[in-house]
Amino acid sequence: MTTQGPQRVAVGSMEVAYTESGEGEPLILVHGGESDRTQFTALRRFFGDGIRAISYDQRDTGDTAGPDDPYTIDDMGTDLADLVFALGYERAHLLGTSYGGIVAMHAALDYPERFSSLSLAACAPNAEFGGPGMATLLKLDPQERRSFMVDMLITTQGQIDNPGLLDRARSVLAPRTPEQNARRMEAVATHDVLDRLVDLDVPTLLIHGTDDPLIVVEAAHEMAKRIPNSRMELIEGGRHGIATEFPQLVGGAVREFVHSYPTTR
């Protein structure tokens, strides 16, 4: 597998940095709140042939450059929808994890015509589904959050069986200034799409770990009840970092889902 990047493309007033690999169905990967586009490095190979996997840096992240103005979570959804066109596509697939799943939800709700499928891993429709770890996380400063997040991502057994998982989890935690962190936290604070999910007109795959300490698994169950044409895959014992610890399961499920809804249909 050849991975290209980082490359850059103009999206509104920003220069968005992205990395791509593979050829075929365009699948845009939307990283979590503490991460950047490199979060998906280990996951890419599990998508197999026939998928062009594209991960990008969101606002206030990594190599993406843009204004320092405040923004909303809806603005981030618009960024994502506009990125599809900027990359030369009419439609694409989405995989969003955690914070990235929230961004992907807003994009799919507001611009359903631009997306052929939506895969959401370890995310929730609003703050009501935050687990015990989330309450602690929100009280920490950025540096403390980075250390705390590692334990929230990987199961104890996973740490024992594969110590390298911890290094991988740490490697994708992106540094940000206090101002950048504040803007991102302010943006996501308004997220609540629970009552809009019945109108989500994009085929949706929900993937969640049953022992996620940050977003309880009930979030996936509730979304599955509300979203038409949705499917749910639970990873027994998985914590918040399921895409890192269980890349074969997550990648395989997303691969099958993407190929079930080709952009050329």
Side-chain angles (χ1 to χ4, degrees):
M1 180 189 68
T2 301
T3 302
Q4 300 177 7
Q7 302 177 74
R8 290 174 176 78
V9 64
V11 178
S13 60
M14 298 185 298
E15 287 290 322
V16 173
Y18 68 97
T19 300
E20 62 178 18
S21 60
E23 297 180 358
E25 289 288 324
L27 172 63
I28 299 179
L29 311 174
V30 196
H31 63 75
E34 303 296 319
S35 303
D36 59 18
R37 71 181 190 278
T38 65
Q39 175 188 333
F40 301 101
T41 299
L43 181 63
R44 289 176 179 276
R45 67 187 181 93
F46 294 101
F47 295 133
D49 296 334
I51 291 179
R52 180 191 181 199
I54 306 158
S55 60
Y56 75 102
D57 286 336
Q58 301 160 16
R59 294 188 186 221
D60 284 326
T61 301
D63 295 316
T64 286
D68 295 333
D69 303 329
Y71 48 86
T72 67
I73 200 71
D74 286 324
D75 292 331
M76 299 182 77
T78 298
D79 295 342
L80 180 48
D82 289 346
L83 178 62
V84 174
F85 284 174
L87 292 170
Y89 293 101
E90 292 292 324
R91 299 170 65 85
H93 305 269
L94 292 179
L95 167 59
T97 66
S98 192
Y99 191 115
I102 292 172
V103 174
M105 267 191 271
H106 283 260
L109 282 163
D110 292 340
Y111 305 92
E113 71 281 359
R114 299 192 191 180
F115 303 106
S116 294
S117 76
L118 171 66
S119 296
L120 301 173
C123 66
N126 61 27
E128 295 178 8
F129 295 93
M134 184 64 73
T136 301
L137 181 71
L138 295 176
K139 297 175 183 177
L140 302 177
D141 65 37
Q143 189 57 47
E144 291 174 323
R145 284 209 306 270
R146 287 169 60 85
S147 298
F148 181 77
M149 273 296 293
V150 173
D151 287 332
M152 298 294 99
L153 295 174
I154 309 300
T155 65
T156 301
Q157 192 61 47
Q159 295 180 36
I160 294 171
D161 293 343
N162 187 355
L165 280 174
L166 290 177
D167 291 335
R168 189 185 308 164
R170 293 187 188 98
S171 72
V172 301
L173 296 177
R176 292 186 179 88
T177 67
E179 293 77 16
Q180 290 174 324
N181 273 295
R183 285 192 291 266
R184 286 175 61 81
M185 295 301 290
E186 288 168 8
V188 78
T190 60
H191 167 63
D192 187 352
V193 297
L194 185 63
D195 292 336
R196 298 180 62 194
L197 294 180
V198 294
D199 298 319
L200 181 52
D201 191 25
V202 178
T204 302
L205 172 65
L206 304 162
I207 312 174
H208 215 101
T210 60
D211 292 343
D212 190 331
L214 294 182
I215 298 176
V216 294
V217 69
E218 285 76 16
H221 288 288
E222 188 63 30
M223 289 192 290
K225 288 193 298 185
R226 292 174 181 253
I227 300 173
N229 199 17
S230 64
R231 193 179 97 195
M232 182 169 62
E233 296 279 349
L234 298 181
I235 296 180
E236 189 64 34
R239 307 199 90 190
H240 197 63
I242 50 176
T244 298
E245 185 171 358
F246 305 98
Q248 187 169 5
L249 295 177
V250 173
V254 172
R255 170 186 170 76
E256 178 185 348
F257 200 68
V258 164
H259 285 302
S260 297
Y261 299 95
T263 55
T264 54
R265 74 184 190 278

